[in-house]
Amino acid sequence: ASGFAPGWCCPTQGNFTSATSVSTGSTGNMIMLDPSSQISGSVSDQESSAPIDEVRVYAYDAGTGAFAGQAVTGRGGVPGAYTLSLPSGSYKLYAKAPSNQDEDAWYPTPSASGFGDAASVASPASSANFSLQNAALIQGQATCDGDIGVQGVYISAYDSSGTRAPYNTISASGGSYSIKVRASSTYK
């Protein structure tokens, strides 16, 4: 329903962990919807200032890290714009670009490198804007004995300060991998 924050069954349960389990065929399960407040903003390319559509903006509870909601830019008719309908509270936002051209980033960009140093945004808010830098790919192959590709290896890229990049990957069949990172940095 428009104008309400997402809810869990049954009354006053705020997240998956505390939600009441229900059985198939059960009736009378009440879901209490809270009037929502909104966090809105826009996502643009840092170099060209052009709006970027189809970016998924995720909201996480600033205190617990629990997923709270998502929105997709450009779906409301305004290029690059998004609106999250959430209960009043404090959230950390993450933008996941639709392609490998632009970085994925925590708010505010470009200073936040992870959940821990992302800024909290209190709902309601109307200027949580992202300016995404160009991205680049680090590609390669995870091998054993130099020539046997290994599937399922968890691979992370760390910047010069030792901070994990906002994107990690697991090697595919044959050991191939591709990690999207900020183009302007070097990684280990």
Side-chain angles (χ1 to χ4, degrees), residues 98-118:
S99 70
N100 290 330
Q101 180 178 340
D102 294 294
E103 68 174 334
D104 300 335
W106 288 95
Y107 178 82
T109 53
S111 60
S113 62
F115 183 86
D117 60 341

Side-chain angles (χ1 to χ4, degrees), residues 88-174:
S88 294
S90 188
Y91 300 92
K92 294 193 178 190
L93 306 178
Y94 183 72
K96 182 158 180 52
S99 70
N100 290 330
Q101 180 178 340
D102 294 294
E103 68 174 334
D104 300 335
W106 288 95
Y107 178 82
T109 53
S111 60
S113 62
F115 183 86
D117 60 341
S120 294
V121 178
S123 177
S126 61
S127 60
N129 301 324
F130 290 85
S131 179
L132 301 183
Q133 295 182 7
N134 289 332
L137 294 177
I138 297 174
Q139 298 175 310
Q141 183 180 27
T143 62
C144 177
D145 294 329
D147 62 351
I148 302 170
V150 180
Q151 180 178 355
V153 176
Y154 186 79
I155 301 167
S156 299
Y158 292 83
D159 65 15
S160 60
S161 67
T163 304
R164 190 179 332 212
Y167 196 79
N168 307 291
T169 194
I170 296 175
S171 61
S173 64

Side-chain angles (χ1 to χ4, degrees), residues 21-35:
S21 296
V22 296
S23 300
T24 56
S26 64
T27 61
N29 301 303
M30 186 184 315
I31 298 174
M32 301 292 290
L33 297 176
D34 291 326

